[in-house]
């Protein structure tokens, strides 16, 4: 993910498509997550809505494939990517719901882990390097709440994340 040329290459995309059909649920979910990121990068480059729809489809597939395996990092990261894909589609209500529901599940499950290299690379790709998934979900939820005009929710979430993300959310509130 740190090498955009490789990430965007046809050969790597073909490998991801093959991995999305074979292997464990965790591997399939990872492949769909990377395909979602690939589509997001293409969407940013082309502003072609077809890529945004693919980003959302692949993120949804990653969530579906991993199922309710809350003990796996793919469960949490796939939902982060789904919320991000919803933001790309300007569906902030769904992004807020996905983020806050995932935060709630994360709290209930007691799941904690140090981010894997893949998680860290994904978060870095979305300019949230150094955060844990729970914090990144709070940033996503806070920004979505701000976009929706939910000032109290956005402020509450902003105070749960480190600087400079806190200021970003607070500055975005209308």
């Amino acid at each position: 993910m740190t090498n955009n040329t490789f990430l965007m290459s046809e050969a790597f995309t073909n490998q991801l498509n093959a991995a999305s059909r074979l292997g464990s649920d965790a591997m399939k979910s990872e492949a769909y997550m990377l395909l979602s990121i690939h589509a997001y990068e293409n969407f940013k480059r082309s502003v072609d809505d077809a890529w945004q729809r693919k980003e959302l489809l692949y993120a949804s597939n990653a969530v579906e494939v991993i199922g309710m395996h809350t003990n796996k990092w793919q469960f949490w990261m796939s939902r982060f990517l789904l919320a991000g894909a919803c933001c790309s589609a300007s569906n902030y209500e769904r992004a807020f719901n996905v983020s806050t529901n995932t935060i709630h599940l994360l709290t209930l499950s007691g799941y904690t882990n140090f981010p894997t290299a893949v998680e860290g690379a994904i978060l870095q790709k979305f300019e949230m390097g150094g955060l844990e998934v729970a914090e990144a979900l709070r940033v996503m939820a806070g920004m979505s709440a701000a976009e929706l005009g939910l000032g109290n929710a956005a402020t509450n979430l902003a105070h749960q994340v480190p600087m400079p993300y806190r200021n970003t959310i607070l500055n975005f509130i209308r």
Side-chain angles (χ1 to χ4, degrees), residues 10 33 37 43 48 51 60-62 69 88-90 92 95 107 109 136 140 146-147 158 163:
E10 185 177 339
M33 284 189 266
I37 293 167
F43 174 65
D48 180 348
W51 284 112
S60 296
N61 286 350
H69 296 283
S88 293
S90 299
Y92 300 105
T107 303
S109 75
M140 188 78 67
E147 182 65 33
M163 298 287 191

Side-chain angles (χ1 to χ4, degrees), residues 121-144:
I122 291 171
L123 292 171
Q124 186 66 41
K125 191 80 164 158
F126 289 90
E127 299 177 16
M128 293 190 199
L131 294 181
E132 293 182 9
V133 177
E135 293 170 321
L137 284 163
R138 285 183 182 94
V139 171
M140 188 78 67
M143 292 300 292
S144 297

Side-chain angles (χ1 to χ4, degrees), residues 33-159:
M33 284 189 266
L34 292 174
L35 285 166
S36 178
I37 293 167
H38 176 267
Y40 172 70
E41 288 296 321
N42 275 315
F43 174 65
K44 285 192 322 187
R45 291 176 181 187
S46 68
V47 194
D48 180 348
D49 288 344
W51 284 112
Q52 190 286 313
R53 287 189 298 275
K54 286 182 180 184
E55 175 194 7
L56 188 58
L57 173 68
Y58 291 137
S60 296
N61 286 350
V63 167
E64 184 176 329
V65 166
I66 201 61
M68 291 305 293
H69 296 283
T70 59
N71 61 328
K72 301 202 179 282
W73 68 265
Q74 293 91 343
F75 178 89
W76 309 105
M77 186 56 70
S78 64
R79 282 152 177 80
F80 169 78
L81 288 172
L82 178 58
C86 291
C87 286
S88 293
S90 299
N91 188 343
Y92 300 105
E93 186 172 347
R94 185 171 180 208
F96 179 75
N97 289 334
V98 168
S99 298
T100 56
N101 287 341
T102 305
I103 292 165
H104 179 72
L105 284 172
L106 190 63
T107 303
L108 288 177
S109 75
Y111 178 80
T112 58
N113 79 315
F114 187 76
T116 66
V118 176
E119 285 175 289
I122 291 171
L123 292 171
Q124 186 66 41
K125 191 80 164 158
F126 289 90
E127 299 177 16
M128 293 190 199
L131 294 181
E132 293 182 9
V133 177
E135 293 170 321
L137 284 163
R138 285 183 182 94
V139 171
M140 188 78 67
M143 292 300 292
S144 297
E147 182 65 33
L148 292 167
L150 304 173
N152 289 339
T155 301
N156 181 34
L157 288 156
H159 289 290

